[in-house]
């Protein structure tokens, strides 16, 4: 069959499937694109040619397109994703941040940037980076360190192994992340006689490998001797669809469960064993139990310092770790017993080995958690829940709401169909502490890369993956200003996302951090510059609601708690993209959220003349002494 390289690639992608547990779905369900020099005549023409086989979404910013694909992939449990095509110059380099986010979070996305001429008939061409010492380098090489697989297709026949390798990595639960196929513009348009078998339907089966039985037995022996075990549920629980296995494990053993940002919702908030978030943004209940845990069972977590406070939180002198993770790289962390395998399969096997059973005619009694420990974490859970209720409470309906009260009002209106999207600022901390997650796919906070600007495009991706769901992008004013452009895409395609803009006139989260490390909140607010060069205390007269409205959104303004409740109710029922704009209490006003319960290591200037930095350094030196390496 004679087709161009671009046509062959689109046709190939439309015939790729993933399969897990007997359920098959398209691996690449759509392509995002912004056309320009280097992809309009190649992939652009091919997507027109095969429009009935490959749906297309028009983006406004290349980074945003990757975020949308990532949101889609995460809501699809990594079983499906989107492709993204760009031009050869700034369009391609704009992919880098999105690619890093995808790879950091182990979420699949296929990147198809245009590239300069392979045959070099015009050299340099528009947007080409000339590298004097290397003729085979282009700006696309910036994508190498943030891609799990990278190839440059410089001849038509090279597409066959490159495309197959790309699909293998996208479907691999260990290796998945951003995959880049750089496509020189002349090669995209070149015709080739393709073998028919290249276009046959191909199924990439996603297995559930079991951890080694000897490692499982070692882990079981450790857990059986523990008195204060704790499970940490990470994103791997959700990616593997292991929520039911985790619930069965918790029901059987009564071991309490704390969650990372990526794992929050692995158990519903009202499950007796659920202690909520862990780490710097975690709950007092989870962090209190973590400090005295003698065995920590990590399920699908990378133990990132911020989300688990892995270097300072686990204070028991003899604490040991058991790590069930599909990736051996992560299962070996913290000096733990490595259970390299699927989360659902591993949890099921652990539950069986800890249950009462007969082995070689010998009765092995079931593991029993000390009753006093179960009562202790139950009390801690109840105490924290009362603090959440207090933070959510809004006694004055005519007052301007705090950020916590905004979440409280949304919590009143939401049910298990609602999905919350967030990524940066102070909101991830408040959400991790406060949000009462009803089901596992309700909570979508990207905190592996914590990328400002992620929320709106990711909400579009999630809505495309779950059109029956109500999808909320919770956006601070700082992150809104980074990347509001995909609102136009939502309006154009009628994707009825709900955007909540919380305006506090500055980078409140990093402002608080700046104050704590002696940087005095420098450059973390929006203020007028006076004639003498100093800043006034007045916020800038920006109107983000008007901006959103100018981009085609229906906008509802709310000044009070009462108005907010009504605006959120109307937005939730809307069948068009809708924005709720609310000014919250300023960064100087307490949000009502209990402060961090665990310490996050942010080095402070060792020498300084300003009093704030000197005092912050003293605090740092006191806290850093608690840091340890778990070997």
């Amino acid at each position: 069959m004679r087709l161009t390289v671009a046509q062959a690639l689109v046709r190939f992608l439309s015939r790729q499937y993933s399969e897990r547990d007997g359920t098959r779905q398209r691996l690449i369900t759509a392509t995002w694109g912004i056309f320009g020099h280097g992809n309009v005549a190649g992939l652009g023409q091919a997507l027109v040619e095969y429009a009935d086989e490959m749906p297309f979404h028009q983006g406004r910013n290349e980074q945003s397109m990757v975020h949308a694909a990532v949101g889609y992939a995460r809501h699809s449990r990594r079983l499906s994703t989107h492709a993204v095509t760009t031009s050869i110059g700034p369009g391609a380099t704009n992919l880098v941040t999105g690619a890093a986010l995808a790879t950091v979070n182990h979420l699949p996305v296929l990147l198809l940037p245009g590239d300069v001429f392979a045959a070099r008939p015009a050299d340099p061409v528009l947007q080409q980076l000339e590298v004097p010492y290397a003729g085979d380098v282009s700006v696309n090489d910036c994508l190498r360190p943030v891609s799990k697989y990278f190839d440059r297709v410089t001849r038509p026949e090279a597409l066959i192994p490159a495309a197959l390798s790309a699909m293998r990595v996208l479907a691999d639960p260990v290796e998945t992340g951003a995959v880049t196929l750089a496509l020189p513009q002349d090669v995209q348009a070149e015709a080739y006689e393709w073998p028919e078998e290249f276009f046959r339907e191909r199924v990439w089966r996603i297995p559930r490998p079991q951890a080694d039985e000897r490692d499982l037995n070692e882990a079981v022996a450790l857990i059986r001797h523990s008195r204060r075990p704790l499970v940490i549920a990470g994103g791997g629980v959700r990616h593997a669809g292991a929520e039911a296995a985790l619930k069965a494990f918790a029901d059987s053993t009564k071991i309490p469960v704390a969650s990372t940002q990526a794992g929050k919702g692995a158990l519903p908030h009202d499950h007796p064993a659920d202690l909520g978030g862990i780490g710097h943004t975690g709950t007092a209940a989870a962090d209190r139990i973590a400090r005295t845990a003698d065995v920590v069972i990590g399920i699908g977590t990378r133990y990132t310092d911020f989300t688990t406070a892995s270097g300072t939180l686990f204070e028991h002198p003899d604490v040991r770790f058991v790590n069930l993770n599909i990736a051996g790289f992560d299962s070996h962390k913290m000096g733990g017993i490595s259970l390299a395998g699927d989360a659902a399969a591993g949890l099921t096997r652990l539950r069986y080995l800890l249950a009462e059973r007969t082995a070689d005619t010998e009765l092995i009694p079931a593991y029993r958690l000390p009753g006093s420990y179960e009562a202790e974490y139950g009390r801690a859970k109840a105490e924290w829940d009362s603090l959440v209720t207090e933070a959510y409470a809004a006694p004055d309906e005519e007052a301007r709401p705090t950020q916590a009260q905004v979440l409280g009002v949304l919590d009143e209106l939401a049910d298990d169909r609602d999905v919350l999207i967030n990524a940066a600022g102070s909101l991830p901390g408040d959400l991790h502490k406060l949000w009462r997650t009803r089901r596992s796919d309700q909570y979508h906070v990207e905190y592996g890369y914590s990328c400002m600007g992620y929320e709106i495009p990711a909400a579009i991706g999630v809505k495309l993956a779950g059109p029956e769901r109500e999808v909320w992008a919770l956006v601070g004013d700082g992150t809104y200003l980074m990347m509001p452009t995909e609102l136009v895409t939502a309006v154009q395609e009628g994707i009825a996302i709900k955007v909540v803009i919380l305006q506090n006139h500055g980078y409140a989260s990093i402002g608080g951090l700046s104050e704590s490390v002696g940087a005095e909140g420098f450059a973390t607010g929006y203020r007028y510059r006076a004639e003498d060069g100093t800043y006034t205390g007045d916020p800038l007269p920006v109107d983000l609601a008007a901006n959103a409205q100018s981009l085609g959104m229906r906008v509802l303004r709310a000044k009070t708690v009462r108005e907010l409740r009504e605006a959120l109710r109307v937005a939730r029922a809307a069948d068009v993209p809708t924005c709720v704009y609310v000014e919250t209490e300023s960064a100087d006003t307490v949000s009502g959220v209990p402060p961090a319960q665990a310490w996050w290591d942010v080095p402070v200037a060792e020498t300084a003349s300003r009093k704030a930095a000197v005092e912050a350094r003293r605090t740092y030196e006191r806290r850093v002494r608690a840091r340890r390496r778990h070997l």
Side-chain angles (χ1 to χ4, degrees):
M1 178 178 293
R2 190 167 178 80
L3 300 171
T4 68
V5 168
Q7 291 165 354
L9 177 58
V10 172
R11 195 154 190 244
F12 169 84
L13 293 178
S14 70
R15 287 160 169 75
Q16 305 303 301
Y17 294 84
S18 68
E19 181 183 285
R20 187 170 70 188
D21 299 338
T23 301
R24 191 175 82 159
Q25 50 275 311
R26 275 273 294 267
L27 181 55
I28 309 294
T29 61
T31 295
W32 287 84
I34 297 175
F35 293 111
H37 178 56
N39 70 336
V40 65
L43 275 168
Q45 188 282 327
L47 287 164
V48 172
E49 189 93 9
Y50 294 105
D52 57 336
E53 298 183 34
M54 179 60 70
F56 176 77
H57 301 294
Q58 181 182 1
R60 265 70 192 182
N61 176 282
E62 292 83 1
Q63 179 181 318
S64 287
M65 295 193 297
V66 185
H67 294 336
V70 166
Y72 184 95
R74 187 175 190 217
H75 197 74
S76 303
R77 297 183 185 272
R78 306 195 300 188
L79 301 175
S80 295
T81 188
H82 289 163
V84 177
T85 178
T86 71
S87 60
I88 67 174
T93 51
N94 280 350
L95 294 173
V96 174
T97 297
L101 181 147
T103 295
V104 164
N105 288 282
H106 301 298
L107 292 165
V109 61
L110 177 62
L111 308 181
L112 304 173
D115 212 326
V116 297
F117 284 96
R120 303 177 192 174
D123 194 33
V125 74
L126 177 65
Q127 297 181 326
Q128 179 175 343
L129 171 71
E130 292 186 278
V131 180
Y133 62 83
D136 62 344
V137 171
S138 79
V139 296
N140 285 331
D141 288 275
C142 294
L143 289 161
R144 288 181 183 270
V146 292
S147 296
K148 297 297 288 188
Y149 178 81
F150 179 99
D151 203 352
R152 179 175 283 113
V153 182
T154 56
R155 290 184 57 86
E157 59 267 38
L159 177 66
I160 296 175
L164 291 171
S165 292
M167 297 304 103
R168 174 188 60 78
V169 174
L170 288 171
D172 187 327
V174 176
E175 292 298 319
T176 196
V179 168
T180 300
L181 295 181
L183 302 170
Q185 62 175 321
D186 52 343
V187 177
Q188 286 182 50
E190 189 173 344
Y192 182 74
E193 196 67 38
W194 302 92
E196 194 64 41
E197 58 264 33
F198 183 55
F199 302 113
R200 69 175 174 84
E201 289 191 357
R202 195 179 302 267
V203 178
W204 301 86
R205 290 186 175 85
I206 300 174
R208 292 193 180 277
Q210 182 61 274
D212 184 85
E213 194 71 10
R214 291 168 298 179
D215 295 330
L216 284 163
N217 287 328
E218 183 181 355
V220 166
L222 182 63
I223 295 169
R224 281 184 172 277
H225 285 92
S226 67
R227 303 290 294 172
R228 303 181 63 83
L230 172 68
V231 167
I232 298 178
V237 174
R238 296 174 57 181
H239 297 329
E243 294 92 341
L246 177 63
K247 180 180 183 300
F249 181 84
D251 289 342
S252 172
T253 64
K254 310 299 182 186
I255 296 174
V257 178
S259 56
T260 68
Q261 286 279 14
K264 186 174 171 69
L267 285 181
H269 76 94
D270 55 357
H271 189 282
D274 181 63
L275 298 182
I278 193 169
H280 183 70
T281 58
T283 71
D287 288 347
R288 185 190 312 167
I289 295 301
R291 286 190 176 90
T292 58
D294 56 0
V295 172
V296 177
I297 307 167
I299 313 294
T301 177
R302 299 185 296 130
Y303 288 107
T304 57
D305 178 60
F306 194 88
T307 53
T308 59
S310 53
T312 55
L313 182 59
F314 308 109
E315 296 178 355
H316 192 290
D318 299 316
V319 63
R320 295 283 307 280
F321 294 83
V322 173
N323 301 323
L324 173 58
N325 200 298
I326 192 73
F329 175 79
D330 291 315
S331 69
H332 281 87
K333 289 178 178 177
M334 310 291 281
I337 297 172
S338 170
L339 305 181
D342 176 78
L347 281 166
T348 300
R349 186 62 180 159
L350 282 173
R351 178 166 61 90
Y352 168 77
L353 293 172
L354 288 168
E356 186 173 271
R357 69 190 196 284
T358 302
D360 299 328
T361 71
E362 176 189 2
L363 180 66
I364 300 177
Y367 169 76
R368 293 282 184 265
L369 191 76
S372 58
Y373 181 52
E374 185 178 355
E376 177 187 345
Y377 77 69
R379 287 192 299 272
K381 175 181 173 63
E383 290 168 6
W384 182 259
D385 191 61
S386 67
L387 289 176
V388 173
T389 299
E390 183 179 331
Y392 278 175
D396 185 356
E397 288 280 308
E398 301 305 319
R400 177 187 293 181
T402 65
Q403 185 163 281
Q405 289 166 349
V406 173
L407 299 182
V409 175
L410 187 55
D411 180 73
E412 292 175 22
L413 299 171
D415 61 27
D416 62 3
R417 292 184 300 121
D418 295 76
V419 182
L420 275 64
I421 317 291
N422 190 238
S426 58
L427 268 168
D430 287 1
L431 285 163
H432 200 203
K433 289 188 180 84
L434 303 178
W435 187 256
R436 291 165 169 160
T437 312
R438 295 157 172 83
R439 65 189 254 188
S440 64
D441 58 357
Q442 179 181 66
Y443 187 87
H444 181 129
V445 173
E446 187 287 300
Y447 223 46
Y449 208 49
S450 189
C451 183
M452 296 178 73
Y454 173 82
E455 293 90 342
I456 292 171
I460 292 173
V462 171
K463 186 68 174 177
L464 290 171
E468 77 287 356
R469 308 292 291 276
E470 303 300 337
V471 181
W472 300 86
L474 305 183
V475 185
D477 52 295
T479 193
Y480 177 85
L481 288 167
M482 290 279 183
M483 206 164 292
T485 52
E486 256 29 59
L487 291 179
V488 177
T489 298
V491 171
Q492 173 180 297
E493 301 202 10
I495 303 170
I497 61 170
K498 317 300 163 63
V499 178
V500 180
I501 302 176
L502 294 93
Q503 169 69 279
N504 58 23
H505 298 287
Y507 300 100
S509 174
I510 206 67
L513 177 62
S514 175
E515 293 284 355
S516 72
V517 297
E520 302 176 57
F522 178 71
T524 60
Y526 312 141
R527 294 167 293 171
Y528 277 126
R529 184 187 291 273
E531 291 182 1
D532 61 0
T534 62
Y535 286 102
T536 73
D538 300 322
L540 291 174
V542 295
D543 190 341
L544 301 186
N547 178 264
Q549 190 169 12
S550 75
L551 296 177
M553 293 287 286
R554 178 190 185 188
V555 175
L556 306 170
R557 295 175 183 259
K559 295 182 179 180
T560 67
V561 173
R562 179 183 56 78
E563 291 177 1
L564 174 66
R565 181 177 290 103
E566 177 61 16
L568 292 175
R569 185 191 64 77
V570 172
R572 190 171 185 275
D575 58 2
V576 297
T578 303
C579 172
V580 174
Y581 173 87
V582 57
E583 290 198 39
T584 61
E585 291 287 0
S586 71
D588 298 326
T589 304
V590 63
S591 69
V593 181
Q597 303 295 318
W599 184 66
W600 178 37
D601 191 341
V602 179
V604 178
E606 192 168 356
T607 61
S609 59
R610 297 181 69 84
K611 180 180 178 181
V614 172
E615 291 179 352
R617 180 67 190 188
R618 290 196 191 103
T619 301
Y620 177 79
E621 289 176 350
R622 184 176 71 253
R623 299 298 297 271
V624 79
R625 285 194 289 269
R627 189 173 56 199
R628 63 190 289 196
R629 294 188 184 276
H630 297 282
L631 303 173

